[in-house]
Amino acid sequence: CTILVLDCPPGFHFGLDYLFWTVGPRFSGVRGIPPGPHFFYYAQGEAGSMGAEYAERFGRFVHLDPAEVIVLRYNEDTELLSFLEPSEASRLADGVRRHEFDKQLGPYPVEKHKDWVELTQFISPLVVAKIEPVNSVVISRTQGPAQDDELPDEDGVKAPKPANKPDQDAGINVEPNSTLSFSTIPKGRSRHKAVGAELTKAHFDKSEALGDLLTTEHGGREKDLLGELQFAFICFLLAYNIEAFIQWKNLVVMFCASEDATRARPQLFADLLRVLHAQLLQ
């Protein structure tokens, strides 16, 4: 598979999965990409500067079919990479297949792909469609909707936002269509009438909340919930999105507090250990 990237401006930085490059004037994308889920992201900054690594990032998940070519062009007005019209994209994709762009395409680091698969194996197109923003672009955030005190805690309860708190950091462009649609984590208290030890257990064990989350947000599909956990981790790791980190943290807290579910859903927790192991290696 190939991602063709056209008209990159000076000082442009482009990343795909693990790697993040400062591109030169001849750069036109990446070839030899294995099929499956991938995350490309980009930023602008002065070449060689410390600020380039921490500049505001924009990213997007794509799911590549075998031999697929996607074509992107930098838009000076929006400062985003945009997909082309189908007719123009098809013409340029044919050029890629005729090897006309080979000298301008960097090779995908296949030696890293096994590790990438471990990080993304549960991120299906369905998971991406559920969570990604309206404009499909994930942006880096340090405040705004991503405040710890504005997002649900591990009990699913939102704390009030102070009246004088700004909506975002100065200089951080928070687009209204860029909010990630993560699952709402339900309260971890039993719906049933319980007393004594049962009431205490219902308060601390989140197994019922986990079951409710699986049913209401993912139609009972355990792998999709793990896909959301992986989606959130990638958005934080590569796009510096703190909103994603808070969701990842709250999901991990809920999993770790669901003792009864470890016996009722053994495969879910076996897969969870594999997911967390891959993440902790980063």
Side-chain angles (χ1 to χ4, degrees), residues 110-128:
V110 292
E111 67 276 6
K112 298 276 190 179
H113 185 243
K114 182 178 179 180
D115 294 336
W116 179 253
V117 169
E118 287 295 309
L119 281 179
T120 60
Q121 61 180 314
F122 297 113
I123 301 179
S124 66
L126 182 63
V127 170
V128 174

Side-chain angles (χ1 to χ4, degrees), residues 39-40 60 65 105-107 119 128-129 142 144 179 217 253 273:
F39 188 76
F40 69 83
R60 179 169 181 163
D65 295 324
L105 298 173
L119 281 179
V128 174
T142 57
T179 301
E217 296 282 357
V253 168
L273 291 177

Side-chain angles (χ1 to χ4, degrees), residues 43-274:
Q44 292 199 61
E46 294 297 327
S49 70
M50 287 297 293
E53 178 68 18
Y54 302 103
E56 184 177 17
R57 290 186 177 185
F58 302 85
R60 179 169 181 163
F61 276 98
V62 290
H63 194 283
L64 299 177
D65 295 324
E68 183 177 2
V69 178
I70 66 172
V71 185
L72 306 165
R73 173 172 284 142
Y74 181 78
N75 186 314
E76 292 184 356
D77 295 330
T78 63
E79 298 184 342
L80 298 175
L81 290 177
S82 304
F83 287 88
L84 302 187
E85 293 294 329
S87 57
E88 186 178 7
S90 178
R91 177 177 61 81
L92 290 166
D94 288 341
V96 170
R97 297 185 181 99
R98 292 193 298 267
H99 305 287
E100 296 174 4
F101 293 90
D102 279 6
K103 293 183 179 180
Q104 299 160 268
L105 298 173
Y108 183 87
V110 292
E111 67 276 6
K112 298 276 190 179
H113 185 243
K114 182 178 179 180
D115 294 336
W116 179 253
V117 169
E118 287 295 309
L119 281 179
T120 60
Q121 61 180 314
F122 297 113
I123 301 179
S124 66
L126 182 63
V127 170
V128 174
K130 177 188 184 302
I131 302 173
E132 69 178 356
V134 173
N135 63 4
S136 300
V137 178
V138 180
I139 67 172
S140 55
R141 279 187 178 156
T142 57
Q143 289 191 357
Q147 288 296 318
D148 279 285
D149 56 353
E150 294 170 38
L151 291 173
D153 63 13
E154 50 265 32
D155 274 341
V157 180
K158 286 189 177 181
K161 175 183 174 181
N164 61 349
K165 197 170 190 95
D167 285 334
Q168 66 271 341
D169 275 334
I172 297 295
N173 179 25
V174 180
E175 297 292 341
N177 292 330
S178 65
T179 301
L180 293 163
S181 300
F182 286 120
S183 299
T184 299
I185 299 178
K187 295 181 181 181
R189 296 173 175 82
S190 175
R191 294 188 301 265
H192 309 295
K193 293 182 179 180
V195 294
E198 290 184 1
L199 180 60
T200 302
K201 182 179 179 180
H203 180 79
F204 287 102
D205 193 310
K206 309 295 184 184
S207 297
E208 188 172 340
L210 176 62
D212 289 345
L213 177 62
L214 278 166
T215 300
T216 59
E217 296 282 357
H218 292 288
R221 297 181 298 274
E222 295 178 352
K223 294 186 185 300
D224 284 2
L225 181 57
L226 294 174
E228 178 170 350
L229 185 69
Q230 291 183 323
F231 185 109
F233 183 81
I234 294 296
C235 288
F236 169 66
L237 179 70
L238 300 180
Y240 301 159
N241 188 290
I242 300 299
E243 182 181 2
F245 170 72
I246 298 299
Q247 181 70 3
W248 176 86
K249 180 195 75 173
N250 287 342
L251 286 174
V252 170
V253 168
M254 183 182 63
F255 277 123
C256 292
S258 299
E259 182 179 349
D260 285 351
T262 61
R263 293 182 288 271
R265 303 177 183 271
Q267 188 58 52
L268 170 61
F269 282 85
D271 290 337
L272 173 67
L273 291 177
R274 183 176 177 180

